[in-house]
Amino acid sequence: MLKKILIANRGEIAVRVMRACQELDIPCVAVYSEVDKDALFVKYANEAYSIGPARASESYLNIEKIINTALKSGADAIHPGYGFLAENAEFAAATKAAGIKFIGPSSNVMALMGDKVAARGVMAKAGVPVVPGTEKCVTDPDHALKTASKIGYPVIIKPSGGGGGIGMTVVPDEKRLVEALEITQKIAANTFGIGDVYIEKYLTNPRHIEFQILADSHGNAIHLGERECSVQRRHQKLIEESPSPVVTQEKRNRMGDLVVGAVKSAGYECAGTVEFLYSEGEFYFLEVNARIQVEHPVTEMVTGVDIVKEQIRIASGLPLSVTQKQIQMRGSAIECRINAEDPLNDFAPTPGRLKEYHSPGGTGVRVDSGVYAGFTVPPHYDPMISKLICWGRDRDEAINRVCRALYEYVITGVKTNIPFHRAVMKNRRFVKGNIDTHFIEEETGLIEDIKALSGKGQILADKLHHRSDLKARVAAIAASVVYQQMQTTKS
Ligand code: MV4
């Protein structure tokens, strides 16, 4: 087993990884920027090192600083979390070159998955359905026109070096194609350093469904079923769930087997996600995410597998602790990303000091966070406060439990998107599972519902027996009283 792990990340995911280390009895090392010196992940770690100013490029993205800190602390592995350097092939290579184990796929496989056209090729060769489109990058306008008319409009032009939706252009008809091609190539060159683009058929109202996979160094690979992540806004996911309301066991087995075959053929090792668009009963491969994902807990709650622990086992050279046959999805889990943002002001970030903070608990409730009462959410990074994940025997029970947990959740001092989540949990389309990637923009009524839920009578608007007085809420009072007592004793 690995002996000491440095976590090259911050916030809730740093805490999440350290919790796995704690269970495995592996000491862990935090690295933090100036503004994170009081963060929970710094307190949780066995050792912590300051690595520079708030600006990520000088701290959490500083490869040399992080690797030197790992060497100095005697860590024999680095876990990159998500975002920052998690899918940076150069970082994976530099880590290996320093004699440190990178907890993730090899830099070669990571680079292969980062090349979206190459990844499409790997999947297609393994029999995974891909979106109709080009097998190579498109440079020549005539070639682009020919290809697009063969595919049929609308089409979408995507940067090959990109991902996550940045720099993509939808083209409604041939009149717009050449101009769109030039623009997308320019954006691609500017943002990703590679001007290569490819063309796909544009699917108008798809669902976003992704498969979680695990692969070890002994040739074992399994899938942990799918997550539905259609409730998103500007490529920012807000609610994720497992299983997807539309995936049958038969479809899951078929797609899961294909995906496992594909990652094996690519020599993929560690945890990963294979993303699909799902439209009219069919899956279309999009891209591979070569990292642990924000939404991994919904999969953990329905399968019982600790994905981060498996990552650490795999990086230690151990085999997976479970076989495909042992994997069963039980019940339903829903995750709400609780963000410091104002849903009534175009979801603008609202960083600042959390005056009171009390998270929900009880049966079927999991909260992953990196905050505490009195903590200041810094303005320099993603404004996520926590992830609320609820499990139920079926989807209806999970939804009801999310409502109950949101009722208990007390966060004061900053505006949060909790009213948004409460509105979605009561939305007819969401409750029916009738969602796609345009759900938020199409459900214009959500804004009115959020307004109604944001006012003083917010709790009464929901259920009559819910107490509207903040101070009277059972969970809240314990937390705020204890916190205020602490403040009084201090001064
Ligand atoms: C698409 C698409 C429709 N057709 N590709 C955006 C994020 C990136 N991972 C892929 N994206 C899309 N690719 C084709 N051929 C629609 C999207 C898309 C989307 C995908 C997943 C989740 C949310 C989305 C929101 C808008 C567009």
Side-chain angles (χ1 to χ4, degrees):
M1 196 62 101
L2 295 168
K3 292 201 164 57
K4 195 186 229 184
I5 300 177
L6 180 141
I7 293 92
N9 215 300
R10 63 179 300 282
E12 70 85 20
I13 194 63
V15 175
R16 165 69 189 90
V17 174
M18 290 177 195
R19 283 178 166 149
C21 293
Q22 188 66 27
E23 290 183 21
L24 292 167
D25 204 19
I26 300 171
C28 50
V29 181
V31 288
Y32 61 96
S33 77
E34 274 166 21
V35 287
D36 276 335
K37 67 174 179 16
D38 297 324
L40 191 65
F41 75 93
V42 176
K43 299 179 197 291
Y44 197 115
N46 301 91
E47 291 167 48
Y49 297 88
S50 163
I51 52 162
R55 190 199 296 265
S57 61
E58 293 175 52
S59 47
Y60 298 111
L61 291 173
N62 189 332
I63 293 178
E64 210 187 302
K65 201 86 174 257
I66 291 168
I67 290 178
N68 284 339
T69 307
L71 291 170
K72 186 167 74 180
S73 67
D76 58 352
I78 295 180
H79 194 300
Y82 53 67
F84 296 120
L85 295 168
E87 289 175 281
N88 186 315
E90 197 192 313
F91 179 58
T95 302
K96 189 178 177 199
I100 298 166
K101 181 72 188 169
F102 178 82
I103 304 179
S106 72
S107 67
N108 289 338
V109 172
M110 193 182 279
L112 180 70
M113 295 304 144
D115 179 338
K116 304 302 164 191
V117 173
R120 264 171 67 86
V122 168
M123 290 296 153
K125 206 171 157 208
V128 176
V130 300
V131 189
T134 53
E135 266 133 64
K136 289 212 174 94
C137 291
V138 180
T139 44
D140 170 53
D142 283 334
H143 176 218
L145 281 164
K146 255 195 216 135
T147 317
S149 69
K150 224 188 279 164
I151 298 168
Y153 290 88
V155 298
I156 182 168
I157 310 178
K158 301 182 173 185
S160 183
I166 303 149
M168 297 181 179
T169 315
V170 179
V171 185
D173 53 55
E174 63 180 16
K175 290 189 297 255
R176 308 276 183 79
L177 188 75
V178 176
E179 169 199 22
L181 178 68
E182 284 168 8
I183 292 170
T184 315
Q185 283 170 329
K186 261 191 209 134
I187 297 174
N190 287 338
T191 31
F192 307 112
I194 315 159
D196 293 351
V197 302
Y198 61 108
I199 301 178
E200 279 179 2
K201 170 96 190 152
Y202 180 69
L203 305 172
T204 46
N205 277 74
R207 287 170 181 259
H208 172 125
I209 299 176
E210 57 190 31
F211 278 77
Q212 175 71 52
I213 63 101
L214 288 171
D216 66 22
S217 60
H218 302 265
N220 306 305
I222 62 168
H223 71 89
L224 301 180
E226 80 286 356
R227 294 184 284 263
E228 161 113 33
C229 313
S230 295
V231 181
Q232 57 82 44
R233 191 182 162 276
R234 301 200 183 150
H235 308 301
Q236 245 338 84
K237 293 168 188 161
L238 286 164
I239 298 170
E240 306 96 343
E241 59 183 297
S242 186
S244 162
V246 291
V247 176
T248 60
Q249 188 58 43
E250 196 193 333
K251 264 191 198 155
R252 177 174 306 122
N253 292 341
R254 188 163 46 80
M255 283 308 298
D257 288 347
L258 283 175
V259 161
V260 164
V263 299
K264 269 190 184 174
S265 77
Y268 194 97
E269 201 181 297
C270 211
T273 300
V274 184
E275 284 188 1
F276 291 90
L277 293 178
Y278 181 89
S279 180
E280 289 167 30
E282 301 294 332
F283 282 99
Y284 301 94
F285 168 75
L286 266 189
E287 49 192 73
V288 174
N289 299 135
R291 58 166 192 273
I292 187 80
Q293 285 194 283
V294 177
E295 59 269 27
H296 76 276
V298 292
T299 301
E300 295 187 325
M301 279 190 112
V302 294
T303 63
V305 176
D306 184 326
I307 298 171
V308 177
K309 246 154 75 171
E310 292 302 316
Q311 284 187 301
I312 296 170
R313 280 180 64 92
I314 295 165
S316 303
L318 295 167
L320 295 175
S321 73
V322 278
T323 62
Q324 189 69 61
K325 263 179 125 174
Q326 292 170 320
I327 300 298
Q328 278 204 43
M329 289 173 87
R330 255 191 86 236
S332 166
I334 299 174
E335 171 178 281
C336 295
R337 297 192 191 188
I338 309 298
N339 295 337
E341 63 185 21
D342 183 0
L344 294 177
N345 181 25
D346 202 29
F347 292 83
T350 56
R353 186 169 177 273
L354 308 180
K355 190 164 167 278
E356 294 162 289
Y357 181 82
H358 187 75
S359 55
T363 307
V365 177
R366 167 175 173 179
V367 179
D368 278 23
S369 92
V371 305
Y372 51 86
F375 177 73
T376 298
V377 178
H380 311 80
Y381 314 105
D382 184 292
M384 193 163 74
I385 293 171
S386 72
K387 306 186 300 205
L388 168 65
I389 310 104
C390 293
W391 182 89
R393 286 167 297 180
D394 56 29
R395 191 168 183 270
D396 287 340
E397 190 176 47
I399 290 174
N400 190 243
R401 202 162 264 158
V402 170
C403 291
R404 187 269 292 175
L406 290 170
Y407 162 69
E408 288 181 3
Y409 221 143
V410 177
I411 303 174
T412 63
V414 304
K415 281 190 177 152
T416 75
N417 65 351
I418 286 177
F420 164 83
H421 288 298
R422 299 184 65 207
V424 174
M425 292 304 136
K426 299 288 173 196
N427 177 280
R428 263 190 65 240
R429 258 183 76 189
F430 181 81
V431 170
K432 286 204 309 205
N434 180 19
I435 44 179
D436 61 48
T437 51
H438 298 287
F439 171 77
I440 296 177
E441 62 197 72
E442 282 171 5
E443 288 302 295
T444 48
L446 280 174
I447 292 293
E448 285 311 308
D449 296 342
I450 294 167
K451 275 186 195 156
L453 291 164
S454 296
K456 272 225 153 63
Q458 53 159 319
I459 307 299
L460 287 176
D462 195 353
K463 284 187 182 173
L464 273 176
H465 57 273
H466 278 193
R467 306 285 296 268
S468 64
D469 177 3
L470 191 76
K471 290 285 188 242
R473 285 152 71 181
V474 190
I477 202 158
S480 65
V481 166
V482 169
Y483 176 63
Q484 273 152 19
Q485 277 172 349
M486 279 165 56
Q487 296 304 98
T488 333
T489 19
K490 257 196 227 162
S491 54

